Amino acid sequence: MALLAAVVVAVFLVAPVFIVVPMSFSTAPSLQFPPPGYWLGYYRQYFTDPRWLYPTLNSFVIAAGTMGLTLALAVPAAFALVRHRFRGKTLAYLLLMSPMIIPLVVSALAYYSFLGRLRLTGTHVGVVLAHTALSVPIALLAITATLKGLDPNLERAAMSAGAGPIRAFWWVTFPVLRPGILVGALFAFLHSFDETVVALFIAGRAASTLPKKMFESIRLETDPVISVVSTLLFALVLVGSLIALLARSRGRRAA
Amino acid sequence: MAGDLAARPPAPAGRLGGPWLLLAPAIVFLALVYAAPLGQVLVLSVTDPAVSLAHYRRVFTTPLYLTVLATTFRTSLVVTLACLALGYPLAYAMARRPGRLAVALLAVVGMSFWTSFLVRTYAWMVILGAKGPVAALAHALGLGRPPQLLFTTFSSTLGMTHILLPYMVMALYAVMKKIDPGHLRAAASLGARPLQGFRHVFLPLSLPGVVNGCLLVFTLCLGFYVTPALIGSPRDMMISQLIAQQVDELLAWGFASALSVVLLAATFAAIAVYTRVAGLDRLWG
């Protein structure tokens, strides 16, 4: 009984794949399913239209920037939170995690007026700053989870054998931590790449991201190219999951 | 020597700098880029255009806005219950039947989790649309034209349930996989039938997961924007749509800020109820 229900729910979860992927090869100019015929025309349209390519490029640039900045902030913070006990830790943790709890619309509104005053709305820098604040908690969760499993005695052993703290970090801590950092980086990248609400408010025209373009396109014209983009995004998630799986299995071997 | 090493309190990474030095970049960044803008929203809500509480009075006395608040709460509640009803059997199967099936189900949930909200919303637009598979099936069965499905309360509730379901399943699964199957075997050996064992042993032990999942889905749903904006009924707006509309179309910063503060307060209230039930340290598991 429970098993049957589980399978039905799983089918419900994957249903969109089976709709959207065939749609991307459809010849229909509107939302018609099953498709009346198949071709690759909308793929050609996506790969030649700057109105789609430019936001795609923006999304990659912004997600990469967000990933880098997020790691620079989250890796040291994860060390402080896992390795140390100190007064004010709960408060620090609450501040770092708050972007995960606060509704995106509220964050988006806050950014809109704040970045507007700094003249950063509609710029790549503005979107990277906004996305980084939202990605820090997600990356932090991934990195602290790995760090909790790392025995500090490994580093002590390296240091008692004559390695300085930096060499101990580079040769002992970092290799063990790498899968956690990789997963944290992946989460930050995908989160920024997917994020819609904040981008809608602050990205403007010049820094318009792919989700913003998709939202506007779905709302205004339901351009069939959306199903092409959706299919490509599925492919991206598949590749991302494979990377995460590989990182996990390599991490398990290393640990 | 070994005892000496173990007794030394500061961990090696500590020597690279105290905890606050390690935390400083993240804390300063979030304070400047995140907390300050949020504070500004708080201030704007009582100062724009003039210092007063008029915006809050307007939210709580205008029937239209009260309806929006009621819709937001009702929708969030329905979506939470729907996610629980669908997610529980799925998480149960994943936790209780290890092996290939569990891996496959986990992969399905993970893929769905990582697929963009927009893509999934778009898929429902196709499925429920006038030329979609539901309409085609109804036609093939000779049922004629189905009622309007898209741009209704039904379509946005269905879309949000689909999008938030993976969160519920993850929260339930995290707790369920830690339940020792030995407890259930013990119950069975004492004469409990499977259903009794489930009701008196498994269900109570899985309740923390239920509470976690419900809080997560409910708070995410309170502030949901994309799906109701794209496939919901224009007549029953959620609060996030109202906020966007006030800023986008009317440039009413003060009022939009007050609405945001109300949404924020509702979210915190839900979390406060939760911490009463489960304790703060459980929030991030």
Side-chain angles (χ1 to χ4, degrees):
Chain A
M1 254 299 277
L3 193 64
L4 184 68
V7 171
V8 170
V9 175
V11 169
F12 169 67
L13 274 177
V14 291
V17 185
F18 293 105
I19 298 296
V20 169
V21 174
M23 277 289 288
S24 71
F25 300 104
S26 167
T27 50
S30 66
L31 301 179
Q32 191 178 339
F33 194 94
Y38 294 93
W39 69 330
L40 285 170
Y42 292 119
Y43 279 86
R44 192 182 323 127
Q45 204 171 321
Y46 169 74
F47 282 107
T48 53
D49 187 347
R51 281 173 308 166
W52 281 104
L53 288 180
Y54 188 62
T56 308
L57 180 69
N58 276 343
S59 274
F60 274 106
V61 170
I62 288 167
T66 301
M67 184 176 80
L69 191 55
T70 302
L71 285 185
L73 299 173
V75 172
F79 266 91
L81 290 172
V82 173
R83 289 290 177 82
H84 295 271
R85 296 166 152 267
F86 53 92
R87 211 185 301 180
K89 185 170 169 176
T90 310
L91 204 66
Y93 196 56
L94 272 176
L95 174 68
L96 294 177
M97 285 295 165
S98 60
M100 237 169 118
I101 314 173
I102 290 170
L104 273 176
V105 174
V106 177
S107 306
L109 180 73
Y111 284 139
Y112 191 15
S113 87
F114 187 76
L115 294 174
R117 271 173 215 205
L118 298 173
R119 299 188 179 276
L120 284 174
T121 42
T123 66
H124 291 70
V125 174
V127 184
V128 167
L129 290 177
H131 279 178
T132 299
L134 303 176
S135 296
V136 162
I138 301 168
L140 207 53
L141 279 180
I143 299 166
T144 48
T146 329
L147 195 52
K148 273 181 196 156
L150 170 63
D151 185 353
N153 282 324
L154 275 178
E155 287 156 74
R156 290 209 182 94
M159 282 161 74
S160 75
I166 292 173
R167 277 186 36 185
F169 177 83
W170 185 251
W171 292 107
V172 177
T173 317
F174 183 66
V176 182
L177 217 52
R178 199 158 33 201
I181 293 179
L182 194 64
V183 170
L186 198 70
F187 281 8
F189 187 93
L190 283 179
H191 182 266
S192 166
F193 200 84
D194 262 359
E195 200 290 320
T196 314
V197 182
V198 169
L200 274 176
F201 273 66
I202 66 167
R205 221 162 232 275
S208 177
T209 62
L210 191 57
K212 180 172 190 278
K213 168 69 183 156
M214 284 177 75
F215 183 94
E216 285 160 355
S217 192
I218 292 174
R219 186 168 234 186
L220 297 176
E221 44 182 353
T222 52
D223 185 342
V225 175
I226 299 160
S227 49
V228 171
V229 181
S230 301
T231 305
L232 296 174
L233 286 176
F234 276 130
L236 189 76
V237 171
L238 263 181
V239 171
S241 320
L242 285 178
I243 294 177
L245 261 176
L246 280 176
R248 255 186 62 190
S249 63
R250 280 185 58 183
R252 219 178 281 150
R253 233 177 293 147
Chain B
M1 189 59 197
D4 183 42
L5 275 177
R8 203 160 24 180
R15 292 211 210 129
L16 289 170
W20 287 107
L21 202 63
L22 293 169
L23 275 174
I27 297 266
V28 170
F29 181 86
L30 279 176
L32 286 181
V33 176
Y34 198 73
L38 277 182
Q40 206 178 30
V41 168
L42 227 63
V43 173
L44 276 179
S45 75
V46 289
T47 59
D48 184 78
V51 178
S52 77
L53 289 173
H55 293 314
Y56 292 98
R57 210 172 305 131
R58 194 167 146 220
V59 175
F60 290 108
T61 53
T62 313
L64 173 68
Y65 302 138
L66 287 174
T67 312
V68 170
L69 287 180
T71 305
T72 307
F73 272 101
R74 195 185 52 235
T75 309
S76 302
L77 202 65
V78 171
V79 169
T80 306
L81 292 176
C83 282
L84 183 61
L86 295 175
Y88 200 93
L90 182 54
Y92 180 83
M94 279 159 56
R96 296 277 298 145
R97 287 172 195 267
R100 239 178 249 164
L101 180 75
V103 174
L105 292 176
L106 199 61
V108 164
V109 174
M111 275 295 289
S112 181
F113 182 85
W114 281 111
T115 302
S116 154
F117 285 16
L118 278 171
V119 172
R120 288 187 272 162
T121 303
Y122 172 71
W124 285 109
M125 241 173 134
V126 177
I127 294 171
L128 300 175
K131 291 186 198 162
V134 174
L137 189 68
H139 183 78
L141 294 174
L143 297 172
R145 273 168 64 101
Q148 169 82 23
L149 296 170
L150 200 56
F151 309 122
T152 61
T153 312
F154 167 75
S155 60
S156 70
T157 307
L158 183 65
M160 285 190 276
T161 302
H162 184 259
I163 287 171
L164 296 175
L165 183 55
Y167 290 86
M168 177 64 88
V169 175
M170 296 290 197
L172 290 170
Y173 177 67
V175 170
M176 285 180 182
K177 75 171 181 210
K178 287 187 191 141
I179 296 177
D180 185 354
H183 292 323
L184 284 165
R185 278 199 297 273
S189 74
L190 292 172
R193 274 166 299 175
L195 202 60
Q196 281 179 316
F198 172 77
R199 242 191 75 196
H200 296 287
V201 179
F202 191 88
L203 187 62
L205 286 173
S206 70
L207 280 184
V210 172
V211 177
N212 284 356
C214 286
L215 174 83
L216 192 63
V217 171
F218 187 78
T219 51
L220 283 172
C221 200
L222 280 180
F224 216 128
Y225 176 68
V226 169
T227 304
L230 288 177
I231 62 174
S233 157
R235 263 169 302 152
D236 47 34
M237 217 187 245
M238 306 246 306
I239 190 166
S240 50
Q241 292 167 273
L242 185 59
I243 293 171
Q245 184 200 50
Q246 291 294 322
V247 174
D248 246 21
E249 294 167 21
L250 309 167
L251 296 173
W253 287 95
F255 188 56
S257 300
L259 287 168
S260 299
V261 174
V262 171
L263 171 56
L264 207 54
T267 308
F268 284 152
I271 294 171
V273 170
Y274 169 82
T275 48
R276 272 288 164 84
V277 179
L280 184 65
D281 51 323
R282 291 281 296 284
L283 198 52
W284 292 291

